[in-house]
Amino acid sequence: AADIVAEVLEKTIRNFPWPKSMRWGAGSLKWVRPLHSILCILSDEGGAEVVPLDIDGIAAGDTTQGHRFMAPGPFKVSSFDDYQAKLKKACVVLDPAERAETIWHDAEQAAFAAGFELVEDKGLLAEVAGLVEWPVVLTGDIGADFIDLPPEVLQTSMKEHQKFFSVKNPKTGRIEKFVTVANRETADDGATILAGNQKVLAARLSDAKFFWENDLRTVAQHGMTSMSESLTNVTFHRELGSQSERIDRIAALARRIAPMVGAEPDEAVLAAKVAKADLASEMVYEFPELQGIMGRYYAKRAGLSDAVADACRDHYSPLGPSDDVPTAPVSVAVALADKLDTLTGFWAIDEKPTGSKDPYALRRAALGVIRLVLANDLRLNLDPVFDMQLLRLKGAREAALPNDGVAMMIDEIADHGVFAAALETVLDAFKDRDGAEALAGLKTAVPDLSDDLLAFFHDRLKVHLRDEGIRHDVIDACLNMPGNDDLTLLVKRARALAAFLATEDGANLTQGFKRANNILTQAEEKDGVEYSFGADVKFAEAAEEKALFAALDSAAAPLKTAMEAEDFAGAMSVMADLRAPIDAFFEAVQINTENQIVRRNRLNLLARIRDICMSVADLTRIEGT
């Protein structure tokens, strides 16, 4: 065992993939830090055995060291438990979870004792727990000059530069203190450490205050528009133009989306125009993670409405699966426009995600659109939205396309939602005019991209719904129906179908549909005709056959009413009533009888079963059918 451990460990140490490594001395070994000693033993009831391991002249042994200041000097260990216990005596807490728990407990208690609240930050807690061996919590005050800075600025500056936790005054909501974690106990109870930290913090916050005041001065003198205008010189992507050009596209799309989400169009456009203005601010240049957050502060200082200011903050959301979804109409309009412009833009230049690579976070953007639509119960047809934005991009990139023709196309799609009809209308208006040929070339390019992008959304939706427990075949059955670019309608249908198939009636009706569809498909292939009409009750012979005619006739009207009302649960309930007459029909009736008139009539009756089932969802996609 010792020989095997030695061989494996040497390979592991030499080949360990550190993000950054270094060499030292005359050896060839690379490591994250200079390696001084190796503790490697095998222990059992009989004692401990040192593993014969030597790497670049560093021989393994059974000794280690504790805290270099509080408990210097080597000591021997005989087992892992002995190692852990002796390390703690030597002022080293081995378990990072224990260090994190100690830090959080002590920091909370210190804040509570002063009548304050510790601001939770799990990421910072994990990072700090990895930086110290013997955590000692110290609490300090933020200087009076900096108290009035936005709390997000204080929190971000202290976290990024100093690894400090923020402490909030619950009465004012302001961050007025901080917690730092030292790596040792001192004779003056950390006073010297705290004084040094406060001195550095004051310098950092002085910079933040300078940025804040400069930005406010800019906003006061020129408004948010001056910041937005400076983005003309900032490239978004070499093939998609500047940030300013992108903002114009987002604003145009936000105007179209606004009525669909209950937002006032002009307010949505204004919000889109200023939402990214803070990218030109000094504060966001220093702290990019504050983009959006600072935009809200600047918008309020510029006298803009709460709806516009909130959209500046919220239009990036949701960023992840646990992020809150905006619900304010203007915020929703701008958030959707922002994400949809990103997606259509990168589809237009063929920069799609491949495998595990997604450098522009397009999967996250698509999931953000899905969550915005579903959480707000929006009725939004994505296909015409894709077409409009792809046309904007194509018009901007291809000089041969006439601007007025592209604008007419976008208006036609917005009014009627049909790309082909919109193109025909515009081509009629452009007869014998320059640019007509270029417009005609749009017949395939834009719809193809739009279809491909919608398929990408459907893949993301499958992942999203799978987390709800909805099977992939149920989603496929609904994707194959009209209106599959309306995500709210699609999910409503999928949930109703999933619930229906979970019932006994649903499972049995699916089997009845399967039987009818198989018999019908085989007969149509054999006879070379389509049995899709002409079933007449006067040719029915068996009582069960007549009963099925009656049941189908009775179901037609309520099923149509339910489908027109998008009451999929009601439609499934109507279909459930067909289960018994369909089962009885197959029990009592032979389809392929020798009487050809009766046979054709029964096959046409099966076509009625197929049509009525397929009107709700494509049941051929359900596994086992």
Side-chain angles (χ1 to χ4, degrees):
D3 291 339
I4 294 170
V5 169
E7 181 183 351
V8 170
L9 278 181
E10 179 162 6
K11 289 179 180 177
T12 301
I13 291 171
R14 289 192 181 279
N15 301 316
F16 198 88
W18 296 105
K20 291 183 179 180
S21 56
M22 60 187 294
R23 283 201 299 263
W24 63 94
S28 60
L29 179 64
K30 286 184 176 182
W31 194 245
V32 67
R33 289 288 184 271
L35 190 59
H36 294 291
S37 66
I38 301 171
L39 164 64
C40 191
I41 59 174
L42 286 173
S43 57
D44 56 22
E45 295 83 356
E49 170 192 358
V50 175
V51 172
L53 174 64
D54 187 299
I55 299 177
D56 274 24
I58 304 171
D62 59 359
T63 62
T64 189
Q65 295 192 41
H67 197 291
R68 64 181 298 189
F69 298 118
M70 296 179 66
F75 53 86
K76 289 191 175 186
V77 299
S78 58
S79 66
F80 180 78
D81 290 340
D82 185 44
Y83 168 64
Q84 192 169 22
K86 286 180 177 176
L87 271 182
K88 184 166 278 190
K89 286 182 181 178
C91 301
V92 175
V93 179
L94 183 64
D95 184 2
E98 185 182 347
R99 294 198 297 271
E101 185 179 348
T102 299
I103 292 167
W104 190 252
H105 174 269
D106 292 353
E108 267 198 321
Q109 291 300 310
F112 179 76
F116 284 72
E117 293 177 0
L118 189 64
V119 177
E120 185 175 5
D121 192 329
K122 292 181 179 178
L124 179 60
L125 179 61
E127 184 177 7
V128 173
L131 294 174
V132 294
E133 297 175 305
W134 191 254
V136 178
V137 167
L138 303 172
T139 304
D141 293 314
I142 294 172
D145 291 346
F146 312 117
I147 291 293
D148 291 328
L149 284 171
E152 295 90 349
V153 171
L154 290 169
Q155 187 175 353
T156 303
S157 179
M158 292 193 295
K159 173 182 176 177
E160 293 300 313
H161 293 308
Q162 304 300 122
K163 312 304 176 192
F164 290 173
F165 293 91
S166 297
V167 180
K168 181 173 65 177
N169 186 332
K171 295 176 183 176
T172 63
R174 299 188 309 183
I175 292 175
E176 299 179 7
K177 293 179 179 290
F178 67 88
V179 164
T180 184
V181 183
N183 192 36
R184 61 176 297 183
E185 297 169 5
T186 61
D188 62 359
D189 294 324
T192 303
I193 295 173
L194 199 55
N197 276 307
Q198 285 178 310
K199 186 175 180 181
V200 175
L201 178 61
R204 290 291 189 186
L205 294 184
S206 293
D207 290 343
K209 185 180 179 183
F210 175 78
F211 300 143
W212 167 247
E213 291 174 348
N214 272 5
D215 290 338
L216 289 184
R217 197 174 299 114
T218 300
V219 170
Q221 292 173 355
H222 308 290
M224 294 283 281
T225 53
S226 65
M227 284 186 175
S228 296
E229 287 167 2
S230 66
L231 294 175
T232 304
N233 302 317
V234 178
T235 300
F236 170 66
H237 186 280
R238 66 184 183 281
E239 293 185 58
L240 295 175
S242 68
Q243 282 284 7
S244 181
E245 290 170 322
R246 180 166 182 253
I247 288 167
D248 289 341
R249 292 196 303 268
I250 293 171
L253 184 55
R255 181 179 291 281
R256 299 289 185 183
I257 291 175
M260 305 176 194
V261 303
E264 202 283 313
D266 288 341
E267 197 168 34
V269 169
L270 175 60
K273 288 283 190 182
V274 301
K276 296 188 182 294
D278 65 352
L279 295 178
S281 69
E282 292 186 36
M283 185 67 79
V284 172
Y285 184 83
E286 178 70 14
F287 299 113
E289 58 270 45
L290 291 178
Q291 58 188 334
I293 293 170
M294 298 313 302
R296 186 184 188 284
Y297 283 106
Y298 299 145
K300 289 299 295 177
R301 289 299 184 103
L304 301 179
S305 69
D306 285 341
V308 171
D310 289 345
C312 293
R313 178 193 62 202
D314 297 337
H315 79 282
Y316 292 105
S317 299
L319 288 171
S322 59
D323 200 16
D324 291 337
V325 178
T327 56
V330 175
S331 295
V332 172
V334 180
L336 283 170
D338 180 36
K339 292 167 179 57
L340 289 169
D341 178 75
T342 299
L343 287 155
T344 51
F346 285 106
W347 245 252
I349 62 174
D350 198 26
E351 289 276 3
K352 308 168 193 174
T354 56
S356 61
K357 294 181 179 178
D358 187 10
Y360 303 110
L362 301 183
R363 292 187 181 96
R364 186 175 71 186
L367 184 58
V369 171
I370 290 168
R371 292 189 63 207
L372 281 161
V373 168
L374 298 184
N376 290 285
D377 198 28
L378 301 178
R379 302 306 303 273
L380 177 67
N381 291 103
L382 290 176
D383 193 58
V385 173
F386 294 160
D387 290 341
M388 286 189 286
Q389 208 66 355
L390 286 166
L391 278 168
R392 282 194 185 93
L393 287 154
K394 211 160 183 58
R397 297 176 70 224
E398 297 183 17
L401 283 169
N403 291 335
D404 52 346
V406 171
M408 284 177 64
M409 279 280 293
I410 290 171
D411 288 340
E412 284 290 326
I413 292 169
D415 292 339
H416 306 294
V418 181
F419 181 88
L423 183 57
E424 291 304 319
T425 300
V426 174
L427 288 176
D428 284 344
F430 265 72
K431 279 182 179 177
D432 304 322
R433 284 180 57 183
D434 291 341
E437 187 176 343
L439 285 170
L442 295 172
K443 283 184 178 179
T444 55
V446 171
D448 285 351
L449 285 174
S450 179
D451 290 345
D452 188 53
L453 182 52
L454 185 59
F456 177 74
F457 266 84
H458 287 161
D459 287 341
R460 295 297 94 209
L461 183 65
K462 285 181 184 180
V463 174
H464 182 69
L465 291 182
R466 202 172 297 145
D467 293 340
E468 285 188 26
I470 298 178
R471 295 173 359 212
H472 67 88
D473 58 331
V474 171
I475 302 168
D476 285 336
C478 299
L479 286 175
N480 223 34
M481 302 301 291
N484 64 5
D485 64 332
D486 182 342
L487 301 183
T488 298
L489 180 71
L490 181 56
V491 170
K492 188 177 179 182
R493 190 192 297 261
R495 287 170 177 160
L497 180 58
F500 178 62
L501 294 177
T503 66
E504 184 181 354
D505 282 341
N508 288 336
L509 182 65
T510 304
Q511 292 306 311
F513 166 81
K514 172 186 176 182
R515 189 172 179 183
N517 189 53
N518 287 344
I519 294 170
L520 197 55
T521 302
Q522 291 169 7
E524 287 177 337
E525 287 178 0
K526 178 183 177 184
D527 300 344
V529 297
E530 180 183 345
Y531 294 102
S532 59
F533 59 91
D536 196 325
V537 70
K538 71 182 180 183
F539 297 114
E541 296 179 344
E544 292 83 359
E545 192 173 0
K546 294 174 184 176
L548 179 57
F549 268 103
L552 292 172
D553 289 342
S554 298
L559 184 62
K560 181 181 179 184
T561 301
M563 290 300 293
E564 287 175 350
E566 297 176 358
D567 178 11
F568 298 116
M572 306 288 177
S573 177
V574 173
M575 286 176 54
D577 293 337
L578 295 174
R579 174 242 172 140
I582 290 174
D583 286 350
F585 171 75
F586 281 121
E587 287 280 334
V589 175
Q590 179 185 356
I591 306 297
N592 290 311
T593 181
E594 291 182 5
N595 186 326
Q596 291 302 306
I597 294 175
V598 174
R599 174 178 176 270
R600 285 195 295 273
N601 196 56
R602 288 174 177 171
L603 287 170
N604 281 316
L605 184 58
L606 294 186
R608 285 192 67 185
I609 296 173
R610 179 172 66 181
D611 291 346
I612 206 166
C613 291
M614 291 284 283
S615 69
V616 176
D618 184 358
L619 296 185
T620 62
R621 301 279 180 162
I622 300 299
E623 289 182 354
T625 61

